[in-house]
Amino acid sequence: MISPHLDDGVFSCGELIAHMPGTVVATVLAGIPDPSPRVTGWDAAAGFDSAARAVACRRGEDRAALALLRARPRWLDFFDGQYAGSPRWEALVDGLDALLGAEDPHAVLFPAGLRHPDHVLVHRAMLAVRRRRPHGIWLMYEDALYRCLPGLMQLRLLALARQGLVATPVPAAPAGRLGRKRAAVECYRSQLRVLVSHARGYADALAPERYWRIDAAAENRFP
């Protein structure tokens, strides 16, 4: 599965990951910036004094969370948008394409790309990769913390339809793994430190997960 940041995969899909031991969770924007005294507002609120230390710590949190879910992390070296702006488009698409070629997954999970510019970028890049690799199972997950905002999912589904893609809801993961997911979510201590101060908090990360199968319109056959 593809996660924009170091926490999005678990926040959005932790129960499903727990039901599928050995899942590879590839975080796209997990590059460690050069050491610098500069610190972003988010990282300062999370208790860090440099971007390099923030990402190194967050990788450790991600490793611990995925270990609880019996999943395997992969971290790509593209930078979070708060550090260096968006990655070069061609490099991002080629990097994600190479990742899928190396892992050869049975199914690909990628974000709906709701609101956050980094999420939107990764969503668009994965659609570009899908055009190169149209076969297999492609599942889109609703981005936790953003999916609850009014109208965002409807706009995403409309955008997909305009591209000739059909999004069909699929059943969520079977019940029984919420406790394990909760423990994994709590591993991201630095991020929760910031999220608890926001009006919405992070309760949506523990709400039911939602998934959509993505097919080209011509791939659907109706009786």
Side-chain angles (χ1 to χ4, degrees):
M1 74 155 295
I2 304 298
S3 176
H5 301 114
L6 293 155
D7 62 19
D8 293 318
V10 170
F11 283 13
S12 301
C13 308
E15 284 189 272
L16 181 61
I17 295 170
H19 278 280
M20 302 177 68
T23 295
V24 174
V25 178
T27 301
V28 180
L29 306 173
I32 298 179
D34 293 334
S36 166
R38 175 177 172 270
V39 60
T40 66
W42 183 276
D43 284 349
F48 299 111
D49 59 5
S50 81
R53 280 196 271 280
V55 178
C57 176
R58 294 189 65 192
R59 284 187 175 192
E61 292 173 344
D62 193 50
R63 182 187 294 109
L66 295 179
L68 289 176
L69 301 178
R70 296 179 292 175
R72 175 164 63 90
R74 279 200 65 170
W75 302 314
L76 279 65
D77 289 326
F78 300 106
F79 295 136
D80 187 315
Q82 67 175 318
Y83 303 133
S86 299
R88 190 167 59 86
W89 176 255
E90 295 81 2
L92 177 60
V93 174
D94 288 346
L96 289 168
D97 185 47
L99 171 71
L100 296 192
E103 294 292 344
D104 190 25
H106 170 68
V108 179
L109 280 81
F110 68 103
L114 303 179
R115 187 175 180 178
H116 193 296
D118 286 347
H119 289 230
V120 174
L121 177 68
V122 172
H123 170 84
R124 290 179 55 233
M126 289 305 297
L127 290 182
V129 173
R130 187 187 181 278
R131 288 192 287 272
R132 297 181 183 183
R133 299 174 178 272
H135 304 295
I137 300 171
W138 285 75
L139 298 174
M140 182 179 74
Y141 62 85
E142 298 187 11
D143 312 44
L145 310 187
Y146 301 111
R147 62 187 175 179
C148 56
L149 298 178
L152 289 187
M153 271 307 302
Q154 288 90 336
L155 289 172
R156 173 56 65 216
L157 296 175
L158 178 60
L160 290 170
R162 287 173 173 168
Q163 297 175 67
L165 296 172
V166 174
T168 304
V170 299
R177 297 290 189 276
L178 182 58
R180 186 177 294 177
K181 175 179 179 175
R182 186 187 301 274
V185 166
E186 291 173 354
C187 288
Y188 298 99
R189 294 184 182 88
S190 67
Q191 304 312 291
L192 301 187
R193 188 177 298 131
V194 186
L195 291 171
V196 294
S197 66
H198 287 207
R200 296 192 311 274
Y202 63 93
D204 185 59
L206 300 173
E209 299 170 2
R210 295 191 292 270
Y211 301 92
W212 302 78
R213 177 163 178 154
I214 304 301
D215 297 293
E219 295 171 5
N220 287 271
R221 298 289 184 267
F222 299 95

